[in-house]
Amino acid sequence: MPESSACRICGGDVVAFMDFGEQPVSDCFLPPGSSAPEHFYRLVVGACGSCTMVQLLNEVPRERMFHEDYPYFSSGSARMREHFQGVAERFVATDRGGAVAFIFELGCNDGVMLKTVAEAGIRHLGVEPSGSVADVTAARGIRVRKDFFEESTARAILAEDGRAAVIYAANTLCHIPYMGSVLRGVRELLAPDGVFVFEDPYFADIVRQTSFDQIYDEHFYYFTARSGGGRGRPPRRELGDPERRPAPHRAVGDTRRLV
């Protein structure tokens, strides 16, 4: 009988359809000669029969994945630099990029997108939990808060910076099992006429391109337009203006209102 668990979005039944067995945590490389134990977890992916969200059945603690020595820097890819500069220029060119605007990025990595926003003189802030990555961001003159984003984080940012005209997240939402707290935080921080824009791997392309390497511990959720549209528990949300981007395994959603 297939393994099942409760959906982290709606509480429905998630039935496993692929088991990759025991896997080491990604991006946690032991130095040569180290005798430290390596953490393994069981990598099983399933789909919810109620809200259709594809997700992992087992969660790796976030501190194990996004740690002080996290090795991935988005700016290391020329393709990503070009992509994120284009995203930032779109924000800056709209009326949401005015002098009094506040643009917030959830999971800003090394500030590759916010760099263009900062150079345009727009008030901004990024949240990044990986210590060494956040330090690089700060060294580039970009405002960054070294923290995980959730509802309590949003309240603290709101008290200091006010509401955001734009909240952006690239390849970040899919990393976060506690989606409810994150979306409540977004609703708390977003201005009434603001936009929440997110980019995440598109499950249909993962299947079509047999990109099994996209299924690993950091990617907890695998979105489609249907599952990303918010059929689960509150806070309910409306998905508007979805774009299928040319970058591999990536889709964009523009959530204009959180209800």
Side-chain angles (χ1 to χ4, degrees):
M1 185 174 181
E3 185 176 357
S4 66
S5 68
C7 177
R8 296 293 294 269
I9 299 296
C10 73
D13 289 333
V14 176
V15 178
F17 61 79
M18 185 66 71
D19 188 340
F20 292 91
E22 295 292 314
Q23 299 289 333
V25 174
S26 61
D27 293 323
C28 290
F29 304 108
L30 298 180
S34 173
S35 60
E38 190 168 14
H39 182 76
F40 284 77
Y41 70 103
R42 189 169 167 220
L43 179 56
V44 183
V45 62
C48 176
S50 298
C51 72
T52 75
M53 182 68 79
V54 176
Q55 59 201 271
L56 299 186
L57 273 68
N58 299 301
E59 177 183 350
V60 176
R62 62 187 187 179
E63 292 81 7
R64 282 193 178 273
M65 294 186 289
F66 308 108
H67 47 82
E68 189 65 31
D69 298 316
Y70 190 68
Y72 180 75
F73 294 82
S74 298
S75 294
S77 165
R79 187 172 186 179
M80 288 295 98
R81 290 196 303 272
E82 180 182 359
H83 170 74
F84 288 120
Q85 180 179 347
V87 168
E89 287 173 349
R90 287 175 67 178
F91 293 153
V92 170
T94 68
D95 57 359
R96 302 177 195 283
V100 297
F102 173 43
I103 295 179
F104 172 73
E105 184 172 8
L106 197 168
C108 66
N109 196 261
D110 61 5
V112 63
M113 191 282 291
L114 287 177
K115 176 177 180 292
T116 301
V117 173
E119 290 172 347
I122 296 174
R123 199 161 55 90
H124 64 276
L125 178 69
V127 161
E128 174 54 53
S130 304
S132 57
V133 180
D135 290 342
V136 169
T137 307
R140 292 175 173 169
I142 298 165
R143 287 188 66 218
V144 61
R145 179 188 179 105
K146 194 183 297 187
D147 205 349
F148 290 96
F149 183 82
E150 50 197 329
E151 189 175 8
S152 59
T153 320
R155 291 199 187 103
I157 294 169
L158 178 64
E160 183 173 342
D161 289 288
R163 298 193 182 276
V166 175
I167 296 179
Y168 178 65
N171 202 28
T172 300
L173 282 190
C174 67
H175 289 61
I176 307 174
Y178 46 96
M179 185 76 74
S181 180
V182 170
L183 293 180
R184 287 191 296 272
V186 167
R187 184 171 61 183
E188 187 82 18
L189 188 58
L190 192 65
D193 60 346
V195 292
F196 172 36
V197 180
F198 69 93
E199 302 183 39
D200 279 297
Y202 179 42
F203 185 65
D205 281 345
I206 293 174
V207 173
R208 185 175 295 109
Q209 299 174 16
T210 60
S211 303
F212 59 86
D213 59 331
Q214 289 291 308
I215 300 175
Y216 70 116
D217 57 339
E218 291 183 11
H219 288 174
F220 192 86
Y221 294 114
Y222 302 85
F223 294 104
T224 64
R226 184 180 183 189
S227 64
R231 298 174 60 205
R233 293 175 176 170
R236 295 185 300 276
R237 62 238 183 241
E238 295 179 357
L239 184 69
D241 302 331
E243 297 180 19
R244 189 172 178 182
R245 305 291 293 185
H249 324 308
R250 195 168 286 266
V252 177
D254 180 354
T255 304
R256 297 191 177 276
R257 182 172 57 159
L258 299 180
V259 182

